[in-house]
Each structure stands twice: as C-alpha cells, then as structure tokens.
Amino acid sequence: MSIQITTEQIKELRDSTGISVMQCKHALEEAEGDMKKALAILKKTSSDIALKKGSREVKDGAVTIKLKDLPAQAGKKAVLVSLLCETDFVAMNEDFKHLAHEIALQVAAMNPKNVKELLKTPYIRDAGLTIEALVKQTVAKVGENIIVARFSRMSLGE
C-alpha cells in the first residue's frame, strides 16, 4: 500500500529546505511520508547534486562587501568576498546573495587563512554545518555550481 503525500507535507519540506517541489515530493515518497527521513534523503541528494555540478564552469557571480556593524567597531573591519556561479541569473538570486552575505560574516567572525580553511569551518549560525555544506545546500537550491573564489579581510591594527 502506497502512502499518500499531501501538498501540505511538500510545502512544509520545501519551506524548510528551499529545495524544488519535485525533489521534496520524491524525498517524501521515498521516506513514506516521514519528514525526518525525507530531510536526510534531501541532504544526501543535495550533496550528490553539488558533486555533479562541481565540474561545471563558473563565469559569473558577485563580489560582496561586509562592514562590521557594531558601533564600537564601525569602520574598523571589512570583508570582501568573491563568489562565483554559472550565470548572471543566479548571481542576482536572493539565495545566492544570502550565501555571499553569510560567507562574508563567517570570514569576519572566524578570520580563516584561505578558502580551503574557510570551507572546513563550522558555520557560525549552525555549528552542525560547515561552510562547504552551506554552499552545497545553495547549489541544490539554485541548480548551478557555486565556488568561493577568494576573500580578503581587513582590520585596523592588523
């Protein structure tokens, strides 16, 4: 007997992950309606998608600047991040812009030495997630390869 998946279940899973409706539906079907199992399936699927897209050429993207907002540090710290994607369409996407902003915050907070180190650091908003995993989640959402090309962190007195 097959479990009937409702649109409410699909919407709930999509709202919590941002992943496409069809991927959410397939994950729920595979998990027989179990939301936790569906999330685990989507996590695995997202990694697989990112791996497949990893060899695709990135020739567009965005540069993001983050200035430290704390009044005591205003004008004393800045981060510049170059985040690449495949098309200008994705470069203008809110998920892509949010990722660029979050990476800039991560660099400001953690001061990694290079991109490789940055990707391995635990995400400051969710220590159970690395920056690399955060990038992969966004790749699954937007459907394009994304690469952190480089970053620069400047601070007075350093």
Side-chain angles (χ1 to χ4, degrees):
M1 183 174 164
S2 175
I3 301 273
Q4 190 69 19
I5 304 301
T6 66
T7 55
E8 289 79 21
Q9 288 173 300
I10 296 168
K11 182 180 179 339
E12 180 183 346
L13 188 57
R14 172 152 169 69
D15 289 347
S16 68
T17 63
I19 295 177
S20 77
V21 171
M22 290 308 293
Q23 285 180 311
C24 290
K25 180 181 180 206
H26 291 305
L28 280 164
E29 288 171 345
E30 187 177 330
E32 298 179 343
D34 184 313
M35 195 63 70
K36 286 184 180 181
K37 286 181 182 176
L39 282 168
I41 291 166
L42 285 176
K43 187 175 182 177
K44 169 81 171 96
T45 304
S46 295
S47 287
D48 292 347
I49 289 169
L51 188 61
K52 287 178 189 173
K53 295 183 186 284
S55 63
R56 291 172 33 182
E57 182 181 7
V58 291
K59 53 187 177 258
D60 220 306
V63 174
T64 299
I65 266 186
K66 176 67 184 151
L67 302 174
K68 205 62 172 162
D69 295 333
L70 301 174
Q73 297 179 351
K76 296 183 180 177
K77 279 189 181 178
V79 172
L80 189 65
V81 173
S82 174
L83 191 63
L84 302 177
C85 59
E86 297 174 43
T87 65
D88 63 339
F89 177 76
V90 166
M92 294 182 289
N93 177 288
E94 288 305 313
D95 290 320
F96 183 84
K97 289 178 185 179
H98 178 73
L99 176 63
H101 175 77
E102 291 301 300
I103 290 172
L105 287 175
Q106 184 81 17
V107 171
M110 303 304 288
N111 196 19
K113 291 177 178 54
N114 54 47
V115 171
K116 187 175 181 179
E117 183 179 306
L118 168 68
L119 293 173
K120 293 184 184 311
T121 61
Y123 179 34
I124 56 176
R125 297 194 195 270
D126 179 357
L129 198 63
T130 63
I131 294 300
E132 183 174 27
L134 184 66
V135 171
K136 286 180 181 179
Q137 283 181 354
T138 307
V139 167
K141 285 181 185 178
V142 301
E144 284 191 12
N145 190 17
I146 297 173
I147 295 174
V148 180
R150 61 185 175 272
F151 63 84
S152 180
R153 184 179 184 273
M154 299 177 80
S155 180
L156 281 178
E158 284 184 1

